[in-house]
Amino acid sequence: MARNKVTVVGAGNVGATAAQRIAEAGLADVVLVDIVEGLPQGKGLDLAEAAPVVGHDARIIGTNDYADTAGSDIVVVTSGIARKPGMSRDELVATNAGIVRSVVGQAAAASPDAILIIVTNPLDAMCHVAMDASGFPRERVLGMAGVLDSARFRTFIAQELGVSVADVHAFVLGGHGDTMVPLSRYSTVAGVPITELLPADRVRALEERTANGGAEIVGLLKTGSAYYAPAASTFEMVDAILRDRKRVLPCAVRLAGEFGVDGLFVGVPVVLGRGGLERVFEIRLTPDEQAAFEKSAAAVRELVGVLPA
Ligand SMILES: NC(=O)c1ccc[n+]([C@@H]2O[C@H](COP(=O)([O-])OP(=O)(O)OC[C@H]3O[C@@H](n4cnc5c(N)ncnc54)[C@H](O)[C@@H]3O)[C@@H](O)[C@H]2O)c1
């Protein structure tokens, strides 16, 4: 049986770290692509040279040529630029939209049956660009954000209560960013909602820290943004798809009326398997939660509105 093939576009921090995780787990052969000549080739060779020591058989190559990506099962898109000082949010959207449109167009042409996992920010808006550029159905265009946001929430809950992260489940909805909606009544330690275990002000503090989780890391690093947890979160989605695990994970998907939203990419829990998005896992929200979700969806709609035509 042929091994699975995963293309990772963008050989920067998130892309190279995700490539390492995928290869070292023996999950798939990996093709690392970047626009910078030598960068993906160098990182790909370095990763391949780790294989004898780590003990896996995955093939890893780096390239600037999409012909090498042909027939990929999954294409992960991490290419983009970070916001630079003096750059407006709209300028960032326009620049990364151009990059995502170009790379997705080329990757989709080489791998017309692939499942796309978009990582580039602003995430939800970039998912729209990717769907448009690929022409893929919504089942095969997924955004990575909710897995990371809920991992952060789980970390903070576990630290607060002094329990293993393995026993903490967290539930987040909405767009990636400060309008994200952590659902604390569905966030549990060994099945017990955290709202039963912590006072309301502590729950709120953990929710706020989660919503600002990306900024907290940027503030510490000064240059660059988080990549270990983002890469691990991307890996979890790749693993759920390639091994057809039917994991229930929060992903950005194009809603078609679910949660009262139509035609927008917003983060919701979905069943992930070999077909990509196999089912939206819809739950009933309280009026307050629904209002927060709609506010989050409105923020995505606004960003999509500034996308270049
Ligand atoms: N969705 C999330 O939760 C999440 C989390 C972390 C990072 N991100 C986003 O992921 C993206 C990557 O982050 P990073 O830290 O790896 O950045 P990085 O700067 O380390 O890497 C980006 C890479 O993209 C490459 N690139 C730029 N234009 C390209 C093109 N046209 N074709 C191919 N490659 C191109 C660059 O050369 C660079 O190597 C950013 O947009 C970041 O905001 C998203």
Side-chain angles (χ1 to χ4, degrees), residues 44-173:
L45 181 59
D46 195 10
L47 284 167
E49 289 168 355
V53 184
V54 177
H56 68 80
D57 300 309
R59 282 186 299 274
I60 311 169
I61 61 154
T63 181
N64 309 112
D65 183 354
Y66 285 85
D68 295 322
T69 71
S72 294
D73 298 282
I74 294 182
V75 175
V76 175
V77 177
T78 74
S79 50
I81 61 157
R83 192 156 156 182
K84 301 199 171 78
M87 188 181 218
S88 75
R89 189 202 56 178
D90 291 0
E91 284 168 332
L92 176 76
V93 175
T95 303
N96 280 354
I99 292 172
V100 169
R101 183 171 295 284
S102 153
V103 307
V104 167
Q106 296 175 81
S111 303
D113 299 321
I115 293 169
L116 298 174
I117 299 179
I118 308 305
V119 180
T120 306
N121 276 321
L123 193 269
D124 308 276
M126 293 308 113
C127 291
H128 279 266
V129 173
M131 187 161 180
D132 193 45
S134 63
F136 286 1
R138 76 165 185 156
E139 287 73 19
R140 293 198 283 122
V141 184
L142 307 161
M144 190 292 290
V147 176
L148 172 63
D149 292 331
S150 69
R152 287 180 170 148
F153 200 19
R154 289 171 66 191
T155 307
F156 302 146
I157 293 167
Q159 287 175 352
E160 178 84 8
L161 288 164
V163 298
S164 165
V165 288
D167 295 316
V168 181
H169 283 270
F171 206 116
V172 298
L173 284 175

Side-chain angles (χ1 to χ4, degrees), residues 8-280:
V8 179
V9 185
N13 282 335
V14 177
T17 312
Q20 178 184 8
R21 283 194 171 273
I22 294 163
E24 292 190 347
L27 200 54
D29 291 336
V30 180
V31 180
L32 199 51
V33 186
D34 204 283
I35 197 163
V36 177
E37 281 179 28
L39 178 73
Q41 290 87 346
K43 290 197 180 183
L45 181 59
D46 195 10
L47 284 167
E49 289 168 355
V53 184
V54 177
H56 68 80
D57 300 309
R59 282 186 299 274
I60 311 169
I61 61 154
T63 181
N64 309 112
D65 183 354
Y66 285 85
D68 295 322
T69 71
S72 294
D73 298 282
I74 294 182
V75 175
V76 175
V77 177
T78 74
S79 50
I81 61 157
R83 192 156 156 182
K84 301 199 171 78
M87 188 181 218
S88 75
R89 189 202 56 178
D90 291 0
E91 284 168 332
L92 176 76
V93 175
T95 303
N96 280 354
I99 292 172
V100 169
R101 183 171 295 284
S102 153
V103 307
V104 167
Q106 296 175 81
S111 303
D113 299 321
I115 293 169
L116 298 174
I117 299 179
I118 308 305
V119 180
T120 306
N121 276 321
L123 193 269
D124 308 276
M126 293 308 113
C127 291
H128 279 266
V129 173
M131 187 161 180
D132 193 45
S134 63
F136 286 1
R138 76 165 185 156
E139 287 73 19
R140 293 198 283 122
V141 184
L142 307 161
M144 190 292 290
V147 176
L148 172 63
D149 292 331
S150 69
R152 287 180 170 148
F153 200 19
R154 289 171 66 191
T155 307
F156 302 146
I157 293 167
Q159 287 175 352
E160 178 84 8
L161 288 164
V163 298
S164 165
V165 288
D167 295 316
V168 181
H169 283 270
F171 206 116
V172 298
L173 284 175
H176 185 43
D178 47 17
T179 63
M180 183 197 87
V181 186
L183 286 195
S184 288
R185 73 192 169 96
Y186 286 128
S187 299
T188 60
V189 176
V192 182
I194 61 166
T195 45
E196 304 281 317
L197 299 169
L198 288 167
D201 61 327
R202 287 309 303 156
V203 170
R204 229 175 358 262
L206 300 184
E207 290 175 354
E208 276 168 22
R209 190 173 175 198
T210 303
N212 296 318
E216 184 178 1
I217 304 266
V218 169
L220 290 166
L221 292 179
K222 311 282 192 302
T223 58
S225 54
Y227 58 98
Y228 291 118
S233 304
T234 304
F235 170 82
E236 190 169 47
M237 290 173 65
V238 171
D239 176 66
I241 294 167
L242 291 182
R243 294 169 62 205
D244 193 27
R245 295 187 65 190
K246 319 289 187 199
R247 294 288 311 276
V248 180
L249 297 174
C251 302
V253 297
R254 191 174 196 275
L255 295 177
E258 299 95 346
F259 292 93
V261 172
D262 194 21
L264 266 192
F265 274 87
V266 193
V268 295
V270 302
V271 178
L272 275 195
R274 202 65 181 80
L277 159 65
E278 298 198 343
R279 184 155 51 95
V280 173

